[in-house]
Amino acid sequence: MKRRALLLTAAGALLAASLPLFAATPDVSPPAGTSTPLDVDALLNDPKTPTFGNPKGDVTIVAFFDYNCGYCRKSLPELERLVAEDGKIRLVYKDWPILAESSVVAAQLALAANFQGQYLAAHKTLMKLPGKSTTERMSEALADAGIDRARLAKDLKAHAGDIGALLKRNNAQAEALGLPGTPVYLVGPFKVAAALDYQGFKDVVEDARKRAAER
């Protein structure tokens, strides 16, 4: 995808310096015509949200995705490759299951796996499964990936309230931002509603760093 053909919009306003770790932060103003409030700190720093990469990175990327989204399946590995190679990106995963009931199940399983430190393993496994897989198929695949299936079931039950609350917060944030669907990536001050390849992500991160340097 050509760089300037992206669905990429510059932020209307940057956040104040109250978040010094984030040299470039996303456009978090509610879309015109809406009054849904957005908790910016929860968007960027929710302690329950799986977050990887460099915790002190100079660019934060917030990824809204659905495990049944083909575009998400295509672009997320490219993003994860860039995060690993760049070394200065903080990546926040926002499970936003909006496409099917199985999307909700997949998100719940991935977040439950986080309680045993296996979110990434679950995430990568679920991304590779055929769309709208059954709960049993997902559970079997996670077990094959080395995730403790008995503990997974236990954590699903014990932490159902926390998992459900997190998914509701993610949905509220997506609605406050007026997101059109998945995937959406908040890259520094840019909002990208497109499935990018490696170079596309690299270009947007470069633009975010340039924008930060101009501040």
Side-chain angles (χ1 to χ4, degrees):
M1 179 177 293
K2 293 184 178 179
R3 183 176 185 180
R4 300 307 171 192
L6 304 178
L7 294 177
L8 179 151
T9 57
L14 296 177
L15 296 180
S18 58
L19 294 173
L21 280 182
F22 306 103
T25 50
D27 176 8
V28 294
S29 302
T34 69
S35 58
T36 306
L38 178 69
D39 185 336
V40 176
D41 187 59
L43 176 71
L44 298 175
N45 303 307
D46 190 326
K48 302 294 185 180
T49 300
T51 303
F52 299 93
N54 187 335
K56 295 185 178 181
D58 61 350
V59 173
T60 291
I61 298 178
V62 182
F64 283 85
F65 66 94
D66 183 305
Y67 286 110
N68 280 315
C69 169
Y71 295 109
C72 301
R73 294 172 185 272
K74 180 179 180 180
S75 63
L76 268 173
E78 301 292 297
L79 171 59
E80 290 161 356
R81 173 190 165 198
L82 177 63
V83 171
E85 294 182 0
D86 182 280
K88 296 185 292 182
I89 298 171
R90 179 174 178 266
L91 177 58
V92 180
Y93 288 103
K94 294 287 182 178
D95 289 84
W96 189 30
I98 58 174
L99 297 179
E101 183 177 346
S102 60
S103 299
V104 177
V105 173
Q108 291 171 333
L109 288 169
L111 293 171
N114 198 35
F115 289 97
Q116 56 178 285
Q118 293 279 29
Y119 179 85
L120 277 183
H123 172 79
K124 294 179 184 296
T125 298
L126 294 169
M127 274 293 172
K128 294 176 182 178
L129 290 179
K132 299 183 180 179
S133 294
T134 65
T135 301
E136 181 63 21
R137 177 69 187 93
M138 288 187 272
S139 182
E140 290 176 350
L142 293 176
D144 290 342
I147 294 170
D148 186 327
R149 193 171 182 179
R151 180 173 175 183
L152 186 67
K154 181 179 179 180
D155 286 335
L156 270 172
K157 182 177 180 180
H159 301 287
D162 288 337
I163 292 171
L166 176 56
L167 292 177
K168 286 181 180 179
R169 290 197 298 276
N170 290 352
N171 185 65
Q173 291 161 8
E175 290 183 350
L177 288 163
L179 302 189
T182 55
V184 173
Y185 305 100
L186 307 180
V187 185
F190 302 109
K191 183 189 298 180
V192 184
L196 304 184
D197 58 14
Y198 175 85
Q199 190 61 47
F201 280 119
K202 188 173 183 178
D203 289 342
V204 178
V205 168
E206 179 184 341
D207 285 345
R209 286 179 172 141
K210 287 180 179 177
R211 178 65 63 84
E214 293 169 357
R215 293 179 64 187

